[in-house]
């Protein structure tokens, strides 16, 4: 029989919103990543950086007619740091007949069109969904741990804290290697004479390599920063009137870190973990460009009135170098803040 009816083709085909919407996660993430000093990379499958560490102490005096030895041992080390984004997705479905009896702010100010089988809030849902995905990614940026059994944003990929914790367990971040400093927690001052939080912060920065101190970027949670500021206020008898510029200049001067940058953002959560690193040492990779399936609306169900909204991408993080000249962390941990959406 010719011209047989293809029932599958009677359902609405997937409608892709690529041209204008596919870039929105980049646009929503970029301002925060720029503020955090984190590189934003487009990564298809893997991105590999080769870090070369030079061996020192190679020079020696030359003796005419004497025995001038040639080094035959190690002259350097090559370390590969790989960023491999992990697949992530978000999906929801809704029945368009939920909006049958009322007008809504939609693609067009009209009621449901039973012939078009189009969700009335389609564009609005896609727009807000992309924004929410950006917030989910930022929530996992430091606190995610790749876990396929964790059906939440925290299971999408290994964030920076997970990367750090793995290096500590492996012994690559350690006090013996001068890239881990034991400080204890930066607690709220107990009274007007308690200066401990600021003193611990100073000791942490002073313990860093002079190469790192000269051009360091300090990541500190807002609560820990406030505790350090209050403690310095006690030291200088400023009480609650300590100005930000006074705090920064005092910290720079007392630690010998004239170009120190301080980054404190809700993305870092709460707690006393301190990270001191050089600029451009932390990467975030996102793979969406060129993915024609990134944003879809379709009706794949037996009931064509059910619309499915689907997004799929890959994302991951990387710390390029943990050498003590480029990286230092303390012995504390942080707790993530709830940054995504308006409710859960």
């Amino acid at each position: 029989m010719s011209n047989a009816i293809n029932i599958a083709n009677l359902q609405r085909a997937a409608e892709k919103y690529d041209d204008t919407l596919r870039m929105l996660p980049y646009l929503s993430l970029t301002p925060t990543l720029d503020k955090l000093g984190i590189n934003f990379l487009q990564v298809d499958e893997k991105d590999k950086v080769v870090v070369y560490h030079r061996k020192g102490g190679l020079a020696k005096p030359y003796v005419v007619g004497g025995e001038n030895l040639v080094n035959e041992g190690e002259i350097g080390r090559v370390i590969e740091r790989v960023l491999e984004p992990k697949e992530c997705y978000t999906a929801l479905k809704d029945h368009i007949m939920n909006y049958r009896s009322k007008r809504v702010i939609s693609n067009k100010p009209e009621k449901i069109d039973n012939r078009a089988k189009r969700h009335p809030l389609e564009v609005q849902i896609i727009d807000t969904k992309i924004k929410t995905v950006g917030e989910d990614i930022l929530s996992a940026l430091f606190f995610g741990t790749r876990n396929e059994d964790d059906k939440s944003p925290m299971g999408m990929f290994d964030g920076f804290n997970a990367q750090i914790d793995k290096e500590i367990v492996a012994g690559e971040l350690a006090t013996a290697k001068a890239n881990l400093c034991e400080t204890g927690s930066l607690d709220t001052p107990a009274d007007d004479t308690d200066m401990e939080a600021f003193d611990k912060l100073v000791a942490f920065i002073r313990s860093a390599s002079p190469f790192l101190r000269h051009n360091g970027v300090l990541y500190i949670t807002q609560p820990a920063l406030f505790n350090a500021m209050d403690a310095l206020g006690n030291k200088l008898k400023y009480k609650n009137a300590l100005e930000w510029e006074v705090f920064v200049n005092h910290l720079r001067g007392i630690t010998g870190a004239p170009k120190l940058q301080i980054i404190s953002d809700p993305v870092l959560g709460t707690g006393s973990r301190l990270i001191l690193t050089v600029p451009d040492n932390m990467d975030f990779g996102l793979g969406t460009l060129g993915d024609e399936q990134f944003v879809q609306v379709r009706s794949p169900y037996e009931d064509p009135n059910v619309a499915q909204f689907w997004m799929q991408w890959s994302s991951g993080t990387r710390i390029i170098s943990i050498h003590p000249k480029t990286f230092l962390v303390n012995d504390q941990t942080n707790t993530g803040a709830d940054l995504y959406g308006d409710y859960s």
Side-chain angles (χ1 to χ4, degrees):
M1 180 183 296
S2 60
N3 298 323
I5 296 176
N6 185 340
I7 295 178
N9 287 340
L10 293 179
Q11 290 191 342
R12 178 182 164 191
E15 185 160 339
K16 305 179 182 73
Y17 289 81
D18 288 332
D19 296 340
T20 58
L21 291 175
R22 192 194 308 157
M23 286 294 293
L24 287 183
Y26 285 85
L27 297 177
S28 63
L29 287 170
T30 297
T32 301
L33 292 175
D34 286 346
K35 184 170 62 173
L36 292 170
I38 294 172
N39 303 316
F40 199 172
L41 308 177
Q42 178 194 340
V43 180
D44 293 330
E45 294 182 3
K46 288 184 180 180
D47 185 82
K48 183 183 296 183
V49 172
V50 177
V51 180
Y52 184 77
H53 290 167
R54 298 170 293 111
K55 184 177 181 180
L58 299 181
K60 56 182 67 68
Y62 177 79
V63 179
V64 178
E67 186 179 7
N68 298 298
L69 300 177
V70 177
N71 292 320
E72 297 181 358
E74 185 179 81
I75 61 173
R77 295 177 182 175
V78 174
I79 299 175
E80 295 182 349
R81 308 288 289 184
V82 178
L83 196 166
E84 184 177 3
K86 302 298 183 181
E87 288 296 324
C88 312
Y89 83 101
T90 182
L92 60 87
K93 62 181 180 180
D94 192 16
H95 200 291
I96 65 174
M97 301 305 287
N98 290 335
Y99 307 89
R100 182 175 183 177
S101 61
K102 55 187 175 184
R103 295 179 183 273
V104 294
I105 300 174
S106 61
N107 307 320
K108 295 180 181 179
E110 301 172 351
K111 291 184 178 179
I112 290 295
D113 183 343
N114 284 328
R115 291 170 297 178
K117 302 297 183 187
R118 185 180 184 89
H119 196 290
L121 298 176
E122 191 161 295
V123 174
Q124 181 178 342
I125 286 176
I126 293 174
D127 182 63
T128 57
K129 186 175 182 182
I130 291 175
K131 179 181 179 181
T132 299
V133 166
E135 293 171 346
D136 291 348
I137 290 173
L138 290 175
S139 295
L141 189 63
F142 279 84
F143 296 98
T145 300
R146 176 66 177 184
N147 181 357
E148 295 179 0
D149 294 326
D150 181 355
K151 306 304 181 183
S152 78
M154 294 300 104
M156 289 191 295
F157 55 86
D158 283 348
F160 291 115
N161 284 326
Q163 305 277 1
I164 291 171
D165 293 341
K166 288 181 178 179
E167 299 288 3
I168 292 175
V169 171
E172 296 301 318
L173 286 171
T175 55
K177 294 192 174 184
N179 51 14
L180 175 66
C181 176
E182 297 180 356
T183 64
S185 61
L186 278 64
D187 297 327
T188 303
D191 52 41
D192 291 348
T193 63
D194 187 348
M195 310 170 192
E196 191 174 63
F198 180 75
D199 291 341
K200 287 180 176 179
L201 179 57
V202 169
F204 172 76
I205 298 173
R206 284 181 174 179
S207 74
S209 161
F211 299 96
L212 177 53
R213 285 204 317 273
H214 181 72
N215 196 31
V217 180
L218 173 69
Y219 291 84
I220 180 173
T221 68
Q222 290 183 345
L225 177 63
F226 295 153
N227 292 342
M229 292 183 69
D230 290 343
L232 178 60
N234 289 339
K235 185 184 288 286
L236 301 179
K237 307 304 180 186
Y238 271 56
K239 303 297 183 184
N240 296 323
L242 182 68
E243 296 178 355
W244 172 251
E245 291 77 10
V246 174
F247 174 80
V248 174
N249 290 333
H250 196 84
L251 187 62
R252 286 172 174 169
I254 203 170
T255 59
K259 298 180 181 179
L260 180 69
Q261 302 175 53
I262 300 177
I263 294 178
S264 185
D265 189 275
V267 169
L268 302 176
T270 60
S272 297
R273 170 161 279 181
L274 304 173
I275 300 172
L276 186 66
T277 186
V278 294
D280 300 321
N281 194 36
M282 301 167 74
D283 293 337
F284 171 74
L286 183 65
T288 58
L289 291 181
D291 181 0
E292 71 279 4
Q293 303 298 319
F294 177 54
V295 180
Q296 281 190 339
V297 182
R298 58 179 178 168
S299 52
Y301 302 97
E302 293 182 0
D303 184 349
N305 291 296
V306 176
Q308 174 176 284
F309 298 82
W310 179 277
M311 290 172 56
Q312 186 169 346
W313 68 97
S314 57
S315 49
T317 64
R318 172 179 58 197
I319 300 172
I320 298 175
S321 172
I322 58 171
H323 189 279
K325 288 185 178 181
T326 60
F327 194 84
L328 177 70
V329 68
N330 69 345
D331 58 343
Q332 298 297 295
T333 59
N334 288 342
T335 301
D338 183 356
L339 304 176
Y340 35 82
D342 300 316
Y343 67 94
S344 57

